[in-house]
Amino acid sequence: MKRCTWSTHSTNEMEYHDTEWGKPNHDDRYLFEMLNLEGQQAGLSWSTILNKRDTMRQAYANFEPSALIKFTEDDVERLLQDAGIIRHRLKIQAVIHNAHAYHDIVAKHGSLNDFLWAYVDNAPVENDVQHYTDVPAETELSKQISKDLRKLGFKFVGPTTVYAFMQAVGMVNDHENDCAFRHQ
């Protein structure tokens, strides 16, 4: 079965590609998790994030915003000692801070899903991708979403991070045209 070229690097990446990446998702908790995981990836490989994902879920209360808003500076210090996660103070603080921003979005827009998917009229943007190297790192839309998220208080949500997030949760379809998973 043909996969997108980038997804053939490791078993973790192949499984992620085949079961998750690019599939439209509308679950608020999952969207929040993925937005934060993409932010954690800044400066690192996605393979690193996939390898630490289960431990990060445990460390960050399964990325439940209502639990994360209760985290304190003591929790930040505890997390800095956890070798199973990305031990970067600003990234740890960003996850907690983003939980507060999440609650603000829900209060204003109903859900994170409603807020984010409105940018694409609730349907994935279908891109013409011959090879993964054709895919841009960011787009005008990811720049706008990044700007809007930052205005709402989110951290580690630059345009490149937001575009990777959009790909991950299926807001854009960047599977290569001949990828078996393009239309699944």
Side-chain angles (χ1 to χ4, degrees), residues 6 16-17 19-38 46 53 112-113 116-118 120 122-125 145 149 161-175 184:
W6 71 266
Y16 173 68
H17 170 271
T19 62
E20 193 171 345
W21 187 79
K23 290 180 176 30
N25 195 298
H26 298 276
D27 178 76
D28 258 32
R29 195 219 49 85
Y30 178 82
L31 295 171
F32 181 77
E33 174 184 341
M34 293 307 293
L35 191 59
N36 281 285
L37 289 177
E38 292 292 351
W46 186 245
R53 187 179 190 183
L112 184 60
N113 175 72
L116 291 168
W117 278 88
V120 293
N122 296 305
V125 174
I145 296 171
L149 284 169
T161 296
V162 168
Y163 195 71
F165 165 79
M166 293 169 68
Q167 292 172 307
V169 302
M171 289 174 67
V172 295
N173 186 351
D174 279 343
H175 283 282
Q184 287 189 356

Side-chain angles (χ1 to χ4, degrees), residues 39-42 44 86 88-95 156:
Q40 294 287 308
Q41 190 217 345
L44 303 169
I86 307 303
H88 183 287
R89 181 178 295 276
L90 294 178
K91 289 181 178 183
I92 291 169
Q93 290 171 328
V95 173
F156 281 89

Side-chain angles (χ1 to χ4, degrees), residues 28 31-32 35 65 97-117 119 145-155 157 165:
D28 258 32
L31 295 171
F32 181 77
L35 191 59
H97 185 85
N98 289 350
H100 292 275
Y102 167 87
H103 283 286
D104 291 342
I105 278 186
V106 170
K108 292 176 186 170
H109 300 277
S111 69
L112 184 60
N113 175 72
D114 291 347
F115 174 78
L116 291 168
W117 278 88
Y119 285 97
I145 296 171
S146 170
K147 181 179 172 184
D148 293 347
L149 284 169
R150 284 182 285 166
K151 279 183 189 173
L152 293 166
F154 279 83
K155 299 192 181 297
V157 289
F165 165 79

Side-chain angles (χ1 to χ4, degrees), residues 44-71:
L44 303 169
S45 70
W46 186 245
S47 184
T48 297
I49 300 305
L50 288 175
N51 289 335
K52 292 180 176 277
R53 187 179 190 183
D54 288 338
T55 306
M56 286 195 284
R57 282 177 172 157
Q58 291 173 348
Y60 290 114
N62 201 36
F63 291 95
E64 283 292 344
S66 58
L68 285 165
I69 61 172
K70 297 173 185 169
F71 277 36

